[in-house]
Amino acid sequence: MLETLQNLAVGFSIALSPSVLLYAFAGCVVGTLVGVLPGIGPLAGISLLLPATFGLDATRAIVMLAGIYYGAMYGGSTTSILMRIPGEAASVMTCIDGYAMARKGRAGAALAIAAVGSYVAGTVSVVALMFLAPPLAAFALRFGPPEYFALLLLGLLVLAYMSGGSMLKALAMAALGLLLGMIGIDQMTGYFRFAYGVVELGDGIGVVPVAVGLFGLAEILATAGQATPPDVIKPKLRELLPSRREWKESAGPIGRGTVLGFVIGIIPGSAHIISSFVSYALERKLSKRPEEFGHGAVAGVAGPESANNSATSGAFVPMLALGVPSGPIPAVMLAAMMVHGVSPGPLLIKNQPELFWSFIASMYVGNVVLLILNLPLVGLFVNLLRVPYPILYPSILVFCVLGVYAVNGSVVDVWIMLAMGALGYVLRKLGFETAPVVLGLILAPMIEMAMRQSLAMSDGHYAIFVTRPIAATLLAVGLLLVLLSLKSLVTRSLDWRARLALAEKGEGHP
Amino acid sequence: MKPARLASLVVLALVLAAVAAGAQEPYPTRPITVVAPFPPGGVADLTARPVAAAMEKVLKNPVGVVNKTGAAGAVGMQFVATSKPDGYTLLLALSSISIIPEADKLFGRPPAFTVDQFAPIALISADPTVLVVPADKPWKTAKDFVEDAKRRPGQISFSSSGVYGTLHMAMELLSHAAGVKFRHVPYAGAGPALTAILGGHVDALASGPAVVLPHIKSGKLRPLAGWGDRRVAALPEVPTFKELGYPDAEFYIWAGLFAPKGTPEPVLARLRDAVRAAVADPDFKAGMDKLQTPVAFKQGAEFQQFFDADARRLADGVRKVGKIETK
């Protein structure tokens, strides 16, 4: 303990030295920008900037790249809340209630809650990273394909809590997402599925173009289609800060989101994207007023935003403790270390204590920097809403096209985004919610791969899912959840969904 | 003749002279793009950047690296294959350049590109893969491993970077050379494949030496043998499959520079010279040392020969794997 604090003190002395601080700050600023721009997410941002770090030393390079990663999680909420455009995939859930809050004139509050939630999650999860990295990393590695499959199956159950309206419609949308996720090279055999000779479709349909299309473009089209343009929201200065009630309702979701995000984040793979979805579902399940979700529930912003931030720290656990490329972003950061002659591996903390501890310290510093950077920006960003729609919306469209194109330099992605925009418009008119499409699209390739890898491991025996303790436990939890939800069928009591449906009938139309 | 008209004629003559001189000016006269068909941070990218930087010094023109990714490299390779053969668009390709067209053929797809659409410039690095197993597994030598695989066909599992990927092909070459059968668990990339063996979810992995070295040193993984024609410098005690009597188990993760077919010979010659100077550049050497990637420069006929032999082995490997039937 004492040793840890001493190490941390050394780390801070490096992290606070002007030159390292400068790079941490630069990383945070770039990360915020990358998060704000629709389309470009942290992976694309880090990849684009990786070559620029080759001239730096290892500590500065890593500190800056990490700043981009967690900075993007702060920035991602901004466009989600203000314009219903997910800055990156992890912000999809924030679009729903964050944007609803903005329509009610609470954009400032939503942005502030998102920033504070991100700060709390970022800081707490660094503490966890510092003390728990080695034992947790060893645990995380035990997540092989069968465990991953069981976890993702739990993720599918989350779908039930994603939408406030008809369950049938939500499941139909999820199925659409799962189908879209089938496009691309079959990872197990090398067959192209539904690619129709388009080489770019071999990689499947990206989450980003779909999310930006379904949410952002559809929103713009829907607004343009109204007979009278909606009133421009004129936020007042005193309404920028969250009310006492909003703070109170956010505390629990921030805490739970932090823990949840960290735990999901340490698991190798790309599951960290689902941390915000799971958090949203969890908050809705626990809420006393689940019917408020989708109409501007502050918990629906606080939970997912905290979760996606602490998931980033979680993802660093296997990377730093074991040198394991636990996901696409840690893989790029490991490459950056190798370029600088630092050999990542289980001995990293022992052999390179300065790098490790200054990295940890810089994350504390970075989170403070981001909070200071983001809170004053709330006032600035909110004023974007004052821009008249004929100017605002075309500019957003331009940024969407640029951002989506920049990720892979692929025109095919832009077409996908436009097609999804049109589809999203139609679905909206028909009263379908589109978040389940995105979750389905994220889950489908992962769940399929995990299942078929598991079966390859066991030579086709399904017993592998129940003979491994972690997988079996997760599946049992899933079964329990399903049984619990059936309870209301048996006892014929009305759950919130039924109450909501009744209420909506009473009101005529929502 | 009025002075003004005279002046304009002089200007015209000067412009024409400049244009004529420009036409004869030796390649290159403008920036060159090296396409790395894989994302930043991968082997192709990490090789391309120092090479490009060192070539820039020789060619006195900017040499930029562009990551054109997608479909396991096919997108970027196809892009260069169909680029103008003028020496301004080059490709930094890995071993998979020989695998992709062969896999396309196997599935009866119109190939994204073929290897004869490229003119090889030079080989830059070649890293033989090494076979590693978790340290808690019973096999102490490659002989133990192969014998056990013979006793239990299809029971010993290995992870790979993806079906028909480089790490998959290395294991397939071994399995055919030794007449054994392994169980293949493909992952999406070399990183996840390494994570899988560290978590004990598979029994073996063929990997580039640099990424597994720290885990060998920490005692997590045990190296059994290498696929090279000589031992890996960092692992002098680890034999090669060649030494062990499996000469067909030869495989390298190599990186080489290519131009589109039809690039004029003087341009290719200039590029070969530039790469030769680049690999001798101290900055480049230091960079590759840090990555622990051995520089293996080959050019002209020598590279062509290496490339052809490698392509033949891999094509053969892909055909032997055939289409994969899953249960």
Side-chain angles (χ1 to χ4, degrees), chain B residues 34-315:
Chain B
V34 175
V35 174
F38 299 95
V43 179
D45 181 67
L46 293 180
T47 311
R49 290 187 191 275
V51 169
M55 282 172 74
E56 211 167 274
K57 293 183 198 166
V58 185
L59 295 172
K60 306 273 187 286
N61 268 285
V63 181
V65 175
V66 173
N67 300 91
K68 215 164 170 49
T69 60
V75 170
M77 295 183 201
Q78 186 187 41
F79 175 79
V80 178
T82 54
S83 290
K84 207 172 158 200
D86 54 6
Y88 291 99
T89 311
L90 308 176
L91 173 73
L92 198 128
L94 308 181
S95 328
S96 52
I97 191 172
S98 321
I99 301 175
I100 293 171
E102 205 54 45
D104 280 339
K105 217 194 276 172
L106 187 69
F107 287 101
R109 293 193 281 257
F113 62 89
T114 53
V115 278
D116 53 20
Q117 280 179 293
F118 297 102
I121 298 169
L123 179 73
I124 295 160
S125 69
D127 217 3
T129 44
V130 289
L131 177 67
V132 291
V133 298
D136 55 8
K137 295 285 174 191
W139 317 294
K140 303 286 181 215
T141 64
K143 192 165 157 271
D144 294 350
F145 182 76
V146 171
E147 276 175 5
D148 196 24
K150 271 189 185 142
R151 269 196 301 277
R152 303 188 291 138
Q155 295 293 306
I156 297 177
S157 62
F158 70 96
S159 56
S160 82
S161 52
V163 68
Y164 306 111
T166 45
L167 305 187
H168 177 199
M169 295 321 295
M171 283 304 279
E172 284 300 334
L173 293 179
L174 171 64
S175 108
H176 285 284
V180 293
K181 205 151 173 44
F182 301 111
R183 188 183 292 171
H184 181 206
V185 185
Y187 280 76
L194 174 64
T195 309
I197 192 171
L198 288 171
H201 304 294
V202 292
D203 302 320
L205 169 71
S207 167
V211 289
V212 286
L213 266 179
H215 303 287
I216 292 173
K217 277 188 198 143
S218 76
K220 276 265 188 193
L221 298 177
R222 181 186 302 131
L224 296 182
W227 269 262
D229 65 345
R230 71 186 71 143
R231 296 183 176 199
V232 175
L235 298 166
E237 70 289 358
V238 178
T240 65
F241 282 115
K242 228 175 192 172
E243 289 172 41
L244 297 170
Y246 306 112
D248 288 343
E250 187 176 351
F251 184 82
Y252 304 89
I253 299 175
W254 55 259
L257 199 62
F258 293 81
K261 191 84 175 180
T263 307
E265 182 47 38
V267 172
L268 288 176
R270 182 98 175 91
L271 285 167
R272 279 196 293 269
D273 289 346
V275 180
R276 188 184 321 118
V279 295
D281 184 271
D283 286 346
F284 173 78
K285 278 188 172 161
M288 296 300 271
D289 269 356
K290 280 184 185 164
L291 294 174
Q292 293 170 316
T293 303
V295 177
F297 180 73
K298 282 186 187 1
Q299 63 170 23
E302 211 190 350
F303 179 33
Q304 186 77 55
Q305 208 179 349
F306 172 88
F307 178 51
D308 290 346
D310 189 73
R312 226 178 2 255
R313 270 198 303 272
L314 291 176

Side-chain angles (χ1 to χ4, degrees), chain A residues 94-113:
Chain A
T94 314
C95 286
I96 298 176
D97 282 282
Y99 185 71
M101 281 178 78
R103 301 300 319 167
K104 288 182 182 169
R106 301 300 299 155
L111 286 170
I113 291 277

Side-chain angles (χ1 to χ4, degrees), chain A residues 183-417:
Chain A
I183 294 171
I185 294 179
D186 174 1
Q187 302 272 14
M188 301 299 286
T189 62
Y191 278 97
F192 276 67
R193 295 192 293 209
F194 313 111
Y196 303 105
V198 181
V199 181
E200 284 84 353
L201 280 184
D203 288 329
I205 293 203
V207 176
V208 168
V210 171
V212 173
L214 282 182
F215 283 87
L217 287 194
E219 176 68 27
I220 292 174
L221 289 176
T223 311
Q226 286 171 9
T228 48
D231 292 337
V232 173
I233 311 163
K234 293 232 168 69
K236 291 179 195 75
L237 200 62
R238 66 183 154 78
E239 285 175 3
L240 281 183
L241 290 177
S243 67
R244 191 179 291 268
R245 185 177 150 233
E246 281 165 332
W247 281 123
K248 233 175 102 188
E249 284 180 4
S250 306
I254 289 175
R256 284 187 290 270
T258 303
V259 175
L260 191 79
F262 190 74
V263 171
I264 294 182
I266 59 171
I267 295 164
S270 296
H272 61 272
I273 300 179
I274 67 168
S275 66
S276 53
F277 290 84
V278 177
S279 166
Y280 187 84
L282 180 75
E283 291 315 324
R284 180 167 219 166
K285 175 83 188 149
L286 293 178
S287 172
K288 288 191 197 77
R289 292 182 302 278
E291 61 278 5
E292 272 184 12
F293 279 71
H295 305 286
V298 70
V301 175
E305 276 302 312
S306 312
N308 69 28
N309 247 61
S310 73
T312 60
S313 312
F316 289 135
V317 169
M319 176 190 116
L320 290 169
L322 299 175
V324 170
S326 47
I329 292 171
V332 176
M333 296 188 55
L334 286 180
M337 286 192 204
M338 289 182 73
V339 167
H340 290 100
V342 175
S343 145
L347 304 175
L348 176 82
I349 300 180
K350 216 173 114 204
N351 292 346
Q352 304 272 346
E354 276 190 15
L355 176 70
F356 177 78
W357 289 104
S358 48
F359 177 76
I360 295 280
S362 85
M363 284 179 74
Y364 284 109
V365 177
N367 274 294
V368 177
V369 167
L370 281 165
L371 190 67
I372 297 173
L373 198 68
N374 275 276
L375 279 184
L377 282 182
V378 168
L380 183 72
F381 280 137
V382 165
N383 278 312
L384 280 181
L385 294 177
R386 291 174 187 266
V387 177
Y389 290 108
I391 299 167
L392 184 64
Y393 279 178
S395 336
I396 296 175
L397 269 176
V398 170
F399 277 111
C400 286
V401 172
L402 280 179
V404 165
Y405 176 78
V407 175
N408 289 322
S410 157
V411 184
V412 175
D413 280 351
V414 177
W415 285 113
I416 293 174
M417 178 189 77

Side-chain angles (χ1 to χ4, degrees), chain A residues 1-62:
Chain A
M1 182 75 189
L2 191 66
E3 199 190 348
T4 306
L5 290 180
Q6 276 169 356
N7 284 330
L8 189 62
V10 174
F12 267 112
S13 70
I14 300 172
L16 289 174
S17 68
S19 63
V20 176
L21 195 60
L22 180 72
Y23 284 104
F25 183 73
C28 290
V29 172
V30 172
T32 306
L33 282 177
V34 156
V36 169
L37 284 175
I40 302 188
L43 181 60
I46 289 180
S47 301
L48 289 171
L49 275 158
L50 176 68
T53 64
F54 287 173
L56 307 173
D57 69 32
T59 307
R60 288 186 181 86
I62 296 298

